[in-house]
Amino acid sequence: MKRLKTIILLMMVALLPTAALASESAEGEELDIPEIVLEHLADSYEWHIASYQGHHISIPLPIILRSASDNPGQKWYFCTAHSLPSQFFFSEEHHGKIYERVGGEEVRPLDLSITKSVLQIWIVVAVLIVVFLSCARWYKTHDAKSEAPKGFVGAMEMIVMTIHDDLIKSSIGEKHYRPYAPYLLTVFFFILTCNLIGLIPVFPGGANVTGNINITFFLAVCTMLAINLFANKEYWKEIFWPEVPLFLKAYPAPVMPLIELFGVFTKPFALMIRLFANMMAGHAVILSFTCVIFLGWSMGVGFGMGLNIFSIIMLLFMNALELLVAFVQAYVFTMLSAVFIGLAHKEHHAE
């Protein structure tokens, strides 16, 4: 009986994203699966919860704009998506971003709005603060040398020590790892929490933060700065004067230095694309299988029953797989960042 209840609960969780599609299917409208998937993956100025009888239930988010016009009367605007001033509009050509009509031209204003992704990041930060402050409180009230932590605090200690000792310390080296450990641990738990909360299909989860290339770009830039700003001279020597035959690094053209210099930018680029592509693809597959349920019913009862069973099984499988991917992607991003930082602190070995 307990197993049956667990299976039913998992099925309900897997089918929760279909609430946003139910109204379209009930009204007999043709489903545009690519448009629906892209709409759910994209950032937005409101948090859509569900649709009921053609009415969208959503949480309006604050829009903060600075006008690009020369009108000194009012430069800043504070509103929501439903009360947007007339000179502003949502541009379909630019993925729903806000543009302004100035002198017959479409201009992009300064946009400091609290979008869905921004709010999701704040929620993730709040969760991490609560988690680590509660763990820190346990260590303040207990003697860790004589009493081992149990339960949630013990699990967090295990994860932290695994990432700290087995990944960061071993990849960078015992001599240089300490300054980078706080950053790498923060990146790991931020990515992991974003991935896990993003799998929750209803508020306060569901936002595709790590599937947003702007977020992964920022994380990759932080890693690139950590690599290159504090690298030692051996690192730069291997880039501009590598140990290869002279004709490959000086005459007739500095081929190897150019390739190595290009690698300075390709390493963080690989970090950015790997995290972005894997997380976006997982969300897209889950949403696509959700759409298949309604697509099957539109073909008839026979197709609907067959595709429903197939889609539910695949949804359960993909959600379970995404739980694994959530940890793997956070681990891989942290591991590669630590490896790249370790390569920037190579010691010179005299022959």
Side-chain angles (χ1 to χ4, degrees):
M1 182 62 69
K2 290 183 178 180
R3 290 184 179 179
L4 180 60
K5 290 181 179 179
T6 303
I7 293 174
I8 294 174
L9 180 61
L10 288 172
M11 290 174 63
M12 292 174 64
V13 171
L15 291 174
L16 275 173
T18 64
L21 308 175
S23 62
E24 295 184 20
S25 178
E27 295 172 2
E29 297 180 6
E30 184 178 353
L31 288 177
D32 188 349
I33 294 180
E35 182 180 353
I36 292 173
V37 172
L38 291 175
E39 179 183 352
H40 282 74
L41 292 177
D43 199 5
S44 64
Y45 293 94
E46 60 181 9
W47 199 306
H48 185 268
I49 305 297
S51 297
Y52 180 72
Q53 294 182 351
H55 299 285
H56 298 289
I57 304 172
S58 59
I59 300 175
L61 300 176
I63 295 177
I64 306 172
L65 301 171
R66 189 181 191 278
S67 176
S69 66
D70 297 329
N71 182 16
Q74 186 176 5
K75 298 291 289 185
W76 288 95
Y77 293 85
F78 301 88
C79 56
T80 64
H82 301 288
S83 60
L84 197 66
S86 57
Q87 70 266 32
F88 299 101
F89 64 97
F90 296 100
S91 175
E92 295 183 0
E93 298 180 0
H94 299 89
H95 309 288
K97 298 297 183 182
I98 296 178
Y99 273 72
E100 182 181 9
R101 297 183 181 89
V102 179
E105 297 182 358
E106 298 180 359
V107 183
R108 182 87 163 98
L110 178 62
D111 191 350
L112 301 178
S113 304
I114 309 301
T115 62
K116 183 178 179 179
S117 294
V118 173
L119 181 58
Q120 183 75 92
I121 291 174
W122 288 1
I123 293 172
V124 169
V125 171
V127 169
L128 290 176
I129 290 174
V130 171
V131 167
F132 286 107
L133 286 181
S134 62
C135 292
R137 188 180 299 110
W138 186 93
Y139 285 99
K140 287 182 179 180
T141 57
H142 296 77
D143 185 5
K145 294 182 178 180
S146 59
E147 182 181 358
K150 300 178 181 179
F152 179 75
V153 178
M156 290 300 299
E157 179 181 300
M158 178 191 69
I159 296 174
V160 170
M161 296 308 296
T162 299
I163 300 300
H164 183 272
D165 295 342
D166 299 339
L167 195 155
I168 298 174
K169 190 175 180 180
S170 61
S171 298
I172 299 178
E174 190 170 356
K175 185 177 180 181
H176 303 287
Y177 81 94
R178 291 184 182 275
Y180 302 100
Y183 163 70
L184 293 173
L185 283 170
T186 302
V187 166
F188 172 79
F189 282 103
F190 174 77
I191 295 175
L192 178 62
T193 309
C194 284
N195 293 346
L196 293 177
I197 293 181
L199 293 177
I200 302 174
V202 293
F203 182 84
N208 188 33
V209 174
T210 46
N212 187 326
I213 199 167
N214 296 305
I215 306 300
T216 59
F217 172 77
F218 175 77
L219 294 174
V221 167
C222 290
T223 297
M224 185 178 72
L225 294 177
I227 295 171
N228 295 286
L229 290 182
F230 308 102
N232 60 17
K233 61 181 182 180
E234 289 296 324
Y235 171 76
W236 294 110
K237 180 183 177 181
E238 287 190 1
I239 292 177
F240 294 107
W241 198 254
E243 295 181 1
V244 295
L246 185 63
F247 72 91
L248 289 176
K249 60 183 178 182
Y251 183 82
V255 177
M256 289 304 298
L258 289 176
I259 294 175
E260 293 291 338
L261 184 62
F262 187 68
V264 171
F265 302 97
T266 56
K267 290 175 182 177
F269 180 78
L271 289 175
M272 175 186 71
I273 295 299
R274 179 181 285 105
L275 179 60
F276 159 72
N278 280 279
M279 298 315 300
M280 185 188 70
H283 283 270
V285 170
I286 291 175
L287 288 168
S288 298
F289 279 120
T290 305
C291 294
V292 167
I293 295 175
F294 297 97
L295 184 63
W297 282 114
S298 65
M299 296 179 181
V301 177
F303 282 103
M305 290 296 294
L307 288 177
N308 266 12
I309 296 173
F310 171 76
S311 297
I312 290 172
I313 293 174
M314 291 305 298
L315 277 172
L316 292 175
F317 172 75
M318 286 304 303
N319 275 278
L321 183 62
E322 281 296 295
L323 287 174
L324 176 63
V325 172
F327 177 83
V328 169
Q329 289 304 314
Y331 187 90
V332 169
F333 189 97
T334 308
M335 179 187 68
L336 292 179
S337 297
V339 169
F340 294 154
I341 291 172
L343 292 175
H345 292 276
K346 292 180 65 174
E347 299 293 337
H348 176 71
H349 299 284
E351 296 182 358

